[in-house]
Amino acid sequence: METSPKGIENTTRPSLQDIENLASRPLEELIHKADSLRRETYGTSVFIRGLLEFTNHCVCDCHYCGLRRSNTDVARYSLTEEEIEAAIRRGLEKGLGTFVLQGGEDPDWPTDRLCRLLEDLRWKLGDAFAVTLSCGIKSAEEYRRLARAGANRYLLRFETSDPDLHARLRGGISLERRLEAIHDLREAGFEVGSGFMVGLPGETDEIRVKNLKLCRDLDLHMVGIGPFIANPETPLAQAPCGTIEETLRMTACLRILLPDTNIPATTAAGSLVPGGREKMLAAGANVLMPNLTDLEHRQNYRLYPGKVALIRDGVEDLEALRQHLLSEGWKMSLARGDSLAFH
Ligand code: 5AD
Ligand code: SF4
C-alpha cells in the first residue's frame, strides 16, 4: 500500500482542515506527489488545445482585467465567422483535436450567433474535434442550446471563492450567480472547467484553501488557475502580483485533490516568470493551450501585460513545441484529450 506523507492522503471529500493541512506541506513534497499522480493518470502526455481569442469586447468591468469595459486604451476587435473557421481549419491541418473559443461577454456574439457558428463548423468540419467555449455567464437554456449546437466543453472560472472579494473585484457580480452558471453547465452536459487566480489583492491563506475546496467540491473536469498579474490599464495597476511559488503550490494541491482532472499550464504563469508553464507541468498540470489567434488581434487580447507566446506562435510551429516538450521529458499529444474525470 502506498504510504503518503501525513496530510496528503487523497480522501474523497476532504474537509477544509484536511485541505489546509495539505496546502501547508513543503512545496517539494507536494510537487513530488502531484507529479507521480499525474504520471499514473495521464502518463507523460501533454494535451494541446488551440486557443482562439475571438472577441475582446466585454460588458463586464472586472477590476483585474484589461478587457474590462471601462478600459478605453484597448483597441476592440471581434473575429468574423469566416476568420474563426479559417483558424480552425489551419489547426485541423496541423492535427489539433481541440479548439478553445474564448472571448469577453460580447453582446454582438449572442447565443443565436454562437449556435449558428457551431452548427456551421460541425456541418463543414465534422465532429472529430472538441470545441471548448469560454465566453461567460448565460442562462441554463442558452447553455443547453450551445451544447446541442456542437460545443463540448465550457470554461468559467469562479475567480475567487470569497463572496465579498468576488463582488468587490467583479463590479458587484455575485459569486452565487457564477456558481449557479457552473451548475447549469454541468446539467447541460458540458465537460466543465473552472478555477481561480492566485494572489488577487485581498486574498488570504484562508481564501486560497477555500479556492481549492471549491474546485474539489465542484468535482471539476478541468481546472484553470494562474497568478494574478497587475495590469496598468486597470484599477489594480499598483497591486502586487501573485507569486509562482503559490501558483505551483495550488497546482500541485489540485492534482492531489482531483487526480483525473485536466489542468492547463497557463499563459499567466509563463508571463509572470520565464519557464512558468514548464514549472506548472512539473507540478501536476497536463495541458497547454498555444494561441491560434493572429498576431494583429492577439496583441489586443490584453487581460494582463507581458502575455508570452509558446515557442513563437505555438501552432505555427508545433514541431518546435514537440521538441521543446520532449526536452523537458513530456510527450506532446494532439488528441481530443477528454478529461478522465468526465468519463
Ligand atoms: N491576471 C491574471 N489573470 C487574469 N485574468 C483576467 N485578468 C487577469 C490578470 N490581470 C484571467 C481570469 C479570467 C481569464 C480569462 O483570465 O481568471 O477568467
Ligand atoms: Fe470580461 Fe472576463 Fe475580463 Fe471580466 S475577466 S472583464 S468577464 S473578459
Side-chain angles (χ1 to χ4, degrees), residues 298-309:
R298 196 186 309 172
Q299 61 186 353
N300 290 318
Y301 204 84
R302 292 209 298 263
L303 300 166
Y304 46 80
K307 257 175 77 186
V308 285

Side-chain angles (χ1 to χ4, degrees), residues 58 60-62 64-65 67-69 103-105 159 170 303:
C58 192
C60 299
D61 219 18
C62 305
Y64 41 79
C65 176
L67 303 191
R68 65 199 304 267
R69 68 160 191 268
E105 298 201 6
E159 314 293 5
R170 302 205 60 240
L303 300 166

Side-chain angles (χ1 to χ4, degrees), residues 64-66 102 134 157 159 178 196-197 226-231 268 301 303-305:
Y64 41 79
C65 176
Q102 185 167 82
S134 176
R157 288 188 181 178
E159 314 293 5
R178 201 82 172 163
F196 53 89
M197 275 172 283
F228 158 71
I229 300 179
N231 187 327
Y301 204 84
L303 300 166
Y304 46 80

Side-chain angles (χ1 to χ4, degrees), residues 252-268:
C253 287
L254 286 167
R255 173 59 68 208
I256 295 166
L257 293 167
L258 292 156
D260 290 345
T261 201
N262 274 328
I263 303 179
T266 49
T267 311

Side-chain angles (χ1 to χ4, degrees), residues 97-328:
T98 298
F99 299 89
V100 182
L101 300 184
Q102 185 167 82
E105 298 201 6
D106 180 352
D108 286 336
W109 273 100
T111 300
D112 278 349
R113 186 174 174 200
L114 282 169
C115 286
R116 277 199 305 278
L117 170 74
L118 289 162
E119 281 159 3
D120 204 44
L121 290 173
R122 290 302 184 200
W123 171 251
K124 291 180 179 159
L125 305 175
D127 40 55
F129 59 96
V131 173
T132 306
L133 290 178
S134 176
C135 43
I137 293 199
K138 298 179 186 296
S139 71
E141 173 56 17
E142 289 178 293
Y143 286 147
R144 282 194 289 273
R145 286 173 51 212
L146 290 166
R148 276 200 302 273
N152 311 94
R153 306 173 181 156
Y154 205 103
L155 302 174
L156 189 71
R157 288 188 181 178
F158 57 76
E159 314 293 5
T160 173
S161 61
D162 186 79
D164 294 337
L165 189 59
H166 191 279
R168 194 150 23 100
L169 294 182
R170 302 205 60 240
I173 304 174
S174 76
L175 174 67
E176 200 185 350
R177 178 67 191 96
R178 201 82 172 163
L179 296 179
E180 184 185 55
I182 292 171
H183 169 82
D184 293 342
L185 286 165
R186 187 179 288 273
E187 293 286 298
F190 280 106
E191 221 177 287
V192 181
S194 190
F196 53 89
M197 275 172 283
V198 181
L200 277 173
E203 183 186 281
T204 58
D205 288 348
E206 194 188 342
I207 294 176
R208 270 201 287 278
V209 170
K210 286 189 176 154
N211 287 344
L212 290 171
K213 175 142 170 66
L214 186 51
C215 289
R216 180 64 192 85
D217 290 350
L218 289 170
D219 257 328
L220 297 172
H221 307 126
M222 310 176 273
V223 187
I225 67 164
F228 158 71
I229 300 179
N231 187 327
E233 295 172 351
T234 66
L236 298 177
Q238 305 301 330
C241 299
T243 65
I244 190 70
E245 287 74 23
E246 270 315 300
T247 305
L248 298 177
R249 179 177 294 283
M250 295 296 105
T251 307
C253 287
L254 286 167
R255 173 59 68 208
I256 295 166
L257 293 167
L258 292 156
D260 290 345
T261 201
N262 274 328
I263 303 179
T266 49
T267 311
S271 306
L272 186 71
V273 294
R277 267 176 303 209
E278 290 78 353
K279 289 187 168 75
M280 278 187 87
L281 288 176
N286 68 318
V287 173
L288 273 180
M289 295 170 37
N291 207 319
L292 275 175
T293 318
D294 60 274
L295 287 170
E296 179 203 335
H297 291 123
R298 196 186 309 172
Q299 61 186 353
N300 290 318
Y301 204 84
R302 292 209 298 263
L303 300 166
Y304 46 80
K307 257 175 77 186
V308 285
L310 263 178
I311 311 279
R312 280 185 276 150
D313 181 40
V315 173
E316 247 68 85
D317 209 345
L318 277 184
E319 193 41 43
L321 182 57
R322 183 192 308 279
Q323 291 305 332
H324 173 65
L325 286 173
L326 258 182
S327 73
E328 301 267 323

